[in-house]
Amino acid sequence: MARVPGSLVAAAGLVGGYGVARWTKKRPLGGVALAAAGAVAAREWERKAGKKAAAALGGAYVAAFAGSHPLAKKVGAWPSVFAVAGVVAAASWAVADRRK
């Protein structure tokens, strides 16, 4: 079975988590989507790049989620979410996904 790159899973988790929270008007449900994608991405990061890289990328994922909130006040919600998703995807690709 083909594996989905951690960079794609992480970006989809950030965008999808926000989308679910916004469209259902249930923030905890968006958090579940965000956390589930983060767990899948972390498993891929660890498999490809090791525990230290997975921990660092997991920290970047959480920081992106937190950082999207103040950024949204300056540029808007969706542009903020897409920006942080892009940053996390790029970091994930550079650290883990380009290896295999």
Side-chain angles (χ1 to χ4, degrees):
M1 182 169 155
R3 294 194 179 260
V4 178
S7 56
L8 181 61
V9 174
L14 288 162
V15 173
Y18 175 69
V20 167
R22 182 173 179 132
W23 290 316
T24 65
K25 298 188 181 359
K26 295 185 185 330
R27 292 179 78 178
L29 191 56
V32 169
L34 179 81
V40 171
R43 190 173 60 226
E44 282 300 302
W45 295 329
E46 183 177 354
R47 186 179 71 79
K48 290 182 178 177
K51 290 183 184 206
K52 287 183 183 180
L57 289 168
Y61 186 76
V62 172
F65 167 70
S68 69
H69 292 82
L71 182 59
K73 293 179 181 181
K74 297 180 187 245
V75 300
W78 280 112
S80 173
V81 170
F82 286 129
V84 299
V87 169
V88 169
S92 175
W93 179 84
V95 172
D97 292 338
R98 72 178 176 159
R99 293 177 180 233
K100 293 187 181 188

